[in-house]
């Protein structure tokens, strides 16, 4: 785990630096701001028979719990985040539900390998992560999830940005998956997210990685 990366996001969590009263993961993780993502992911899960979700990063599980409970009991959920105190708290809160699991790890770390076996009914959700990472780490994440073995991958995309700007860890910049350094093709389909005041329109680009 990268110490600088972990410390930055631990500080954000402890100080509620993104300023939401509802979610320590920020205003973009509030339920009202996530309605487009919630509706679109529930539809995807139902239509394509998704049985496992890997949510990276899971944050405080504020909005994703809406997806999980609308699809329960057919979906097993695995949330991954870099903040150990938050993961411990989530595991304690959900310890009676064997279908909900939280793991502390750093997806940007080269030592973390995502190798999903029998991933035909698996979805990886990577919402609002790249927007807080330097470009090299963002590209590392994209490459990992695309080679993970999961059949479906959903990643935040803001197509009105023509240049992906460099930022320090924990800062913010929109990410266009069609531009350098990602250069991804058009997705299987897009989920249009709820427009949040002060931020550009964003989508969840859903990629189908194999038939």
């Amino acid at each position: 785990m990268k110490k600088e990366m972990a410390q930055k996001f631990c500080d954000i969590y402890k100080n509620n630096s993104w300023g939401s009263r509802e979610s320590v993961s920020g205003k973009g993780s509030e339920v009202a701001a996530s309605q487009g993502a919630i509706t679109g992911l529930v539809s995807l899960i139902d239509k394509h028979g998704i049985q496992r979700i890997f949510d990276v990063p899971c944050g405080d599980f504020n909005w994703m719990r809406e997806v999980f409970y609308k699809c329960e009991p057919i979906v097993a959920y695995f949330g991954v985040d870099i903040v150990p105190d938050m993961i411990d708290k989530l595991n304690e809160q959900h310890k009676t539900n064997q279908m909900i699991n939280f793991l502390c790890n750093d997806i940007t770390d080269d030592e973390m390998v995502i190798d999903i076996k029998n991933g035909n009914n698996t979805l990886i959700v990577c919402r609002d992560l790249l927007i807080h990472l330097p470009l090299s780490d963002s590209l590392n994440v994209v490459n990992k999830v695309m080679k993970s073995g999961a059949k479906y991958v959903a990643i935040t995309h803001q197509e009105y940005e023509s240049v992906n700007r460099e930022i320090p860890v924990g800062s913010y910049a929109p990410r266009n998956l069609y531009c350098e350094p990602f250069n991804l093709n058009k997705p299987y389909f897009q989920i249009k997210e709820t427009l949040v005041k002060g931020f550009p329109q964003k989508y969840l680009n859903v990629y189908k990685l194999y038939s």
Side-chain angles (χ1 to χ4, degrees), residues 84-130:
D85 288 350
M86 183 169 60
I87 291 298
D88 289 345
K89 182 178 180 180
L90 288 169
N91 276 319
E92 178 63 25
Q93 290 173 341
H94 300 279
K95 63 184 179 182
T96 60
N97 192 331
Q98 295 183 351
M99 301 299 284
I100 300 178
N101 306 272
F102 295 97
L103 308 170
C104 186
N105 217 323
D106 175 7
I107 191 175
T108 70
D109 194 326
D110 290 338
E111 293 183 4
M112 181 184 174
V113 177
I114 305 176
D115 184 15
I116 297 173
K117 306 298 184 184
N118 302 315
N120 191 53
N121 296 314
T122 301
L123 165 68
I124 294 178
V125 179
C126 199
R127 181 176 184 249
D128 289 346
L129 172 60
L130 309 185

Side-chain angles (χ1 to χ4, degrees), residues 42-178:
V42 169
S43 176
L44 171 70
I45 291 163
D46 288 345
K47 182 178 180 180
H48 295 282
I50 302 297
Q51 295 179 354
R52 290 187 297 178
I53 298 174
F54 286 83
D55 184 17
V56 189
C58 62
D60 61 0
F61 195 49
N62 187 64
W63 70 273
M64 182 58 90
R65 76 182 69 221
E66 300 288 324
V67 175
F68 177 82
Y69 287 114
K70 289 178 187 295
C71 300
E72 193 184 25
I74 62 169
V75 171
Y77 173 86
F78 301 86
V80 180
D81 207 284
I82 198 172
V83 180
D85 288 350
M86 183 169 60
I87 291 298
D88 289 345
K89 182 178 180 180
L90 288 169
N91 276 319
E92 178 63 25
Q93 290 173 341
H94 300 279
K95 63 184 179 182
T96 60
N97 192 331
Q98 295 183 351
M99 301 299 284
I100 300 178
N101 306 272
F102 295 97
L103 308 170
C104 186
N105 217 323
D106 175 7
I107 191 175
T108 70
D109 194 326
D110 290 338
E111 293 183 4
M112 181 184 174
V113 177
I114 305 176
D115 184 15
I116 297 173
K117 306 298 184 184
N118 302 315
N120 191 53
N121 296 314
T122 301
L123 165 68
I124 294 178
V125 179
C126 199
R127 181 176 184 249
D128 289 346
L129 172 60
L130 309 185
I131 60 174
H132 297 305
L133 297 179
L135 288 174
S136 60
D137 290 312
S138 296
L139 182 60
N140 187 15
V141 170
V142 170
N143 288 337
K144 280 187 180 183
V145 297
M146 288 300 194
K147 298 174 182 177
S148 64
K151 187 170 184 177
Y152 300 98
V153 173
I155 311 175
T156 298
H157 165 71
Q158 290 145 306
E159 61 188 44
Y160 301 111
E161 296 296 313
S162 59
V163 177
N164 289 309
R165 294 185 288 110
E166 187 60 89
I167 57 170
V169 172
S171 187
Y172 168 82
R175 294 299 187 221
N176 186 329
L177 298 177
Y178 306 148

